[in-house]
Amino acid sequence: MPHCLVVGAGISGSSIANIISSGFTDCKIKVIDEKNAIGGNCFDYLDENNIMIHRYGSHIFHTSDKKVWDFLSQFTSFNTYMHRVYAVIEGNEVPIPFNFDSIRRCFPENLADRIERKLLDRFEYGSKIPIRDFMEQDDTDLRFLAQYVYDNVFVHYTEKQWGKDPSQIDGAVTARVPVYLSRDCRYFQDTYQGIPSEGYTRMIEKMLDRPNIEVKLDTGFKDIENPEEYDHIFYTGPIDELMDYCFGPLPYRSVHFKLETYDREHYQDNAVVNYPNNYDFTRIHEYKYYLNDRSDRTVIAKEYSEDFVIGKNERYYPVPTEESAELYSRYLEAAKRKYPNMHFLGRLGDYKYYDMDKAVARAMEVYKEVFE
């Protein structure tokens, strides 16, 4: 009968705890979290306006992995919300990723016709082509399109989000900036999409509601007196903190949100509007769209990016550079030597940005690695 400790009650920790508890019904699992609430960065709550607020920014569930969808569907029903994102470009709200509708909104009709025709002559309809591929085309219009998207969608937004010039960011980030050869204005094209009908916190609460799972909040790993007594430890926290920053801190970007309440039905026409070229914030979230909450008021959150500072704010995004990847590898090697019964997963434990479905899939993968 394995005795397990799970560090972190976010979606990664809660998933691995539930999977273990189902696989070993006689197993004892202790889940701890430094915060005073479960859910990690998925935490949400119903405010005084009867609006479900995502405390750490908008979380939109989407996946094409039926195993993940079926797993989470044990603990919640999902609505059929499909996410759309618009960016304010030259005063117009334009679909993101940039697509044929975006081209029509930004360019004169004759130029839009010409660019669309050239795109369809060279690429398959429905494909997502990274803008760097257009830069390599021997065609003035396609190079113009790539430069326009780079200048108006990517470069200034990236500077705000990462606090760096785009040339200092890993090329994988630039590679994710596509033009979508479609009129599908959804941000995601996954088979399954939606928001948990009672919120993410309630979903995770149900995941942890097992007779062999004990949850203890306001408790960090350093509060565990004898970690060697556990057969397995599943660690979803920051690995540099675990190792007392012996190699220096891993770099993260953080964000903070300025909540504003308005006495009106809606503030904007969509749940998320990006501002790549205007203002100091990167985007505005309007929460009542997600569950179609009924209220005479609306709550928005302006999102500002900033560097992570220990003790000041939350870790959000690992900074994707070669140097940070090498530093993480050093930490992982040292942590495994010090804690041979410890397994790492999650955005902080793996030092890797995960969409929620990928975090759940990773928990399934770790379970197989350890127990099968």
Side-chain angles (χ1 to χ4, degrees), residues 7 42 55 70 76 108 128 179 228 239 296 303 307 319 334:
V7 181
C42 296
R55 176 174 289 177
D70 289 345
T76 186
K128 292 182 178 179
V179 172
E228 66 280 357
I239 196 169
D296 293 332
E303 179 178 328
D307 283 330
V319 177

Side-chain angles (χ1 to χ4, degrees), residues 34 238 241 245 249 254 306-315:
E34 288 185 334
E241 181 180 277
Y245 305 102
S254 186
E306 60 189 13
D307 283 330
F308 167 71
V309 179
I310 297 169
K312 175 191 170 187
N313 50 18
E314 296 279 342
R315 296 171 174 88

Side-chain angles (χ1 to χ4, degrees), residues 3 25 36 51 61 68 165 191 216-217 227 231 235 277 299 334 339 352:
H3 189 200
T25 55
N36 61 4
I51 296 171
F61 188 79
V68 170
D165 184 274
T191 305
K216 192 171 182 182
L217 302 176
D231 296 297
Y235 188 84
N277 307 304
V299 176
Y339 301 104
K352 181 178 180 181

Side-chain angles (χ1 to χ4, degrees), residues 313-324:
N313 50 18
E314 296 279 342
R315 296 171 174 88
Y316 275 80
Y317 302 107
V319 177
T321 64
E322 288 184 12
E323 293 78 11
S324 60

Side-chain angles (χ1 to χ4, degrees), residues 241-306:
E241 181 180 277
L242 172 71
M243 299 301 292
D244 297 317
Y245 305 102
C246 61
F247 304 128
L250 281 163
Y252 287 89
R253 285 293 279 177
S254 186
V255 296
H256 74 271
F257 301 93
K258 181 183 177 186
L259 292 181
E260 298 176 0
T261 302
Y262 291 88
D263 291 319
R264 63 177 86 162
E265 181 66 23
H266 287 292
Y267 180 87
Q268 56 194 22
D269 295 330
N270 194 59
V272 174
V273 178
N274 290 0
Y275 289 82
N277 307 304
N278 303 97
Y279 310 109
D280 294 331
F281 51 82
T282 54
R283 52 187 172 174
I284 296 178
H285 310 255
E286 187 166 3
Y287 293 119
K288 68 190 300 186
Y289 280 104
Y290 295 133
L291 290 174
N292 199 26
D293 296 319
R294 294 302 174 195
S295 175
D296 293 332
R297 313 180 89 192
T298 192
V299 176
I300 68 165
K302 292 177 180 175
E303 179 178 328
Y304 297 82
S305 295
E306 60 189 13

Side-chain angles (χ1 to χ4, degrees), residues 22-299:
S22 299
F24 298 92
T25 55
D26 57 349
C27 168
K28 290 184 179 180
I29 305 157
K30 187 172 190 174
V31 178
I32 62 172
D33 200 295
E34 288 185 334
K35 295 179 179 177
N36 61 4
I38 62 171
N41 280 11
C42 296
F43 177 81
D44 53 14
Y45 64 95
L46 203 62
D47 77 349
E48 66 274 13
N49 303 298
N50 198 43
I51 296 171
M52 187 67 79
I53 305 297
H54 297 191
R55 176 174 289 177
Y56 302 100
S58 296
H59 281 69
I60 318 301
F61 188 79
H62 58 98
T63 189
S64 292
D65 189 331
K66 193 172 188 305
K67 282 186 177 180
V68 170
W69 178 259
D70 289 345
F71 172 74
L72 291 181
S73 294
Q74 299 175 86
F75 317 109
T76 186
S77 59
F78 289 89
N79 68 8
T80 55
Y81 174 84
M82 293 190 180
H83 196 45
R84 290 170 173 81
V85 174
Y86 292 84
V88 176
I89 299 174
E90 298 178 334
N92 299 311
E93 291 190 2
V94 174
I96 299 296
F98 212 82
N99 65 8
F100 286 147
D101 282 2
S102 311
I103 291 170
R104 296 284 166 184
R105 294 192 192 191
C106 290
F107 305 143
E109 185 176 355
N110 62 340
L111 177 58
D113 287 342
R114 194 165 72 239
I115 289 175
E116 185 172 323
R117 186 169 57 252
K118 289 181 176 181
L119 288 171
L120 292 175
D121 283 345
R122 290 164 173 77
F123 305 100
E124 184 177 353
Y125 182 83
S127 59
K128 292 182 178 179
I129 310 300
I131 60 172
R132 66 182 181 188
D133 288 10
F134 297 138
M135 297 282 195
E136 299 167 358
Q137 294 291 313
D138 186 21
D139 185 281
T140 302
D141 288 332
L142 295 186
R143 291 200 302 272
F144 162 76
L145 173 63
Q147 194 64 49
Y148 185 90
V149 174
Y150 182 84
D151 290 341
N152 290 279
V153 177
F154 176 70
V155 64
H156 301 299
Y157 191 91
T158 299
E159 288 171 346
K160 285 195 283 188
Q161 185 175 30
W162 294 102
K164 295 177 181 291
D165 184 274
S167 64
Q168 298 175 279
I169 298 296
D170 191 289
V173 175
T174 314
R176 291 201 302 268
V177 183
V179 172
Y180 186 22
L181 307 192
S182 173
R183 286 198 160 78
D184 181 350
C185 290
R186 296 174 301 166
Y187 196 71
F188 307 112
Q189 280 70 49
D190 292 287
T191 305
Y192 305 102
Q193 304 183 37
I195 309 292
S197 57
E198 296 180 278
Y200 290 99
T201 302
R202 180 61 178 146
M203 178 186 77
I204 289 175
E205 186 179 85
K206 290 181 179 179
M207 292 168 71
L208 295 172
D209 185 17
R210 301 276 299 182
N212 54 343
I213 294 179
E214 173 195 0
V215 178
K216 192 171 182 182
L217 302 176
D218 296 307
T219 304
F221 179 69
K222 298 298 175 67
D223 298 317
I224 302 299
E225 294 183 357
N226 298 301
E228 66 280 357
E229 292 181 356
Y230 291 91
D231 296 297
H232 299 285
I233 300 172
F234 298 89
Y235 188 84
T236 71
I239 196 169
D240 53 352
E241 181 180 277
L242 172 71
M243 299 301 292
D244 297 317
Y245 305 102
C246 61
F247 304 128
L250 281 163
Y252 287 89
R253 285 293 279 177
S254 186
V255 296
H256 74 271
F257 301 93
K258 181 183 177 186
L259 292 181
E260 298 176 0
T261 302
Y262 291 88
D263 291 319
R264 63 177 86 162
E265 181 66 23
H266 287 292
Y267 180 87
Q268 56 194 22
D269 295 330
N270 194 59
V272 174
V273 178
N274 290 0
Y275 289 82
N277 307 304
N278 303 97
Y279 310 109
D280 294 331
F281 51 82
T282 54
R283 52 187 172 174
I284 296 178
H285 310 255
E286 187 166 3
Y287 293 119
K288 68 190 300 186
Y289 280 104
Y290 295 133
L291 290 174
N292 199 26
D293 296 319
R294 294 302 174 195
S295 175
D296 293 332
R297 313 180 89 192
T298 192
V299 176

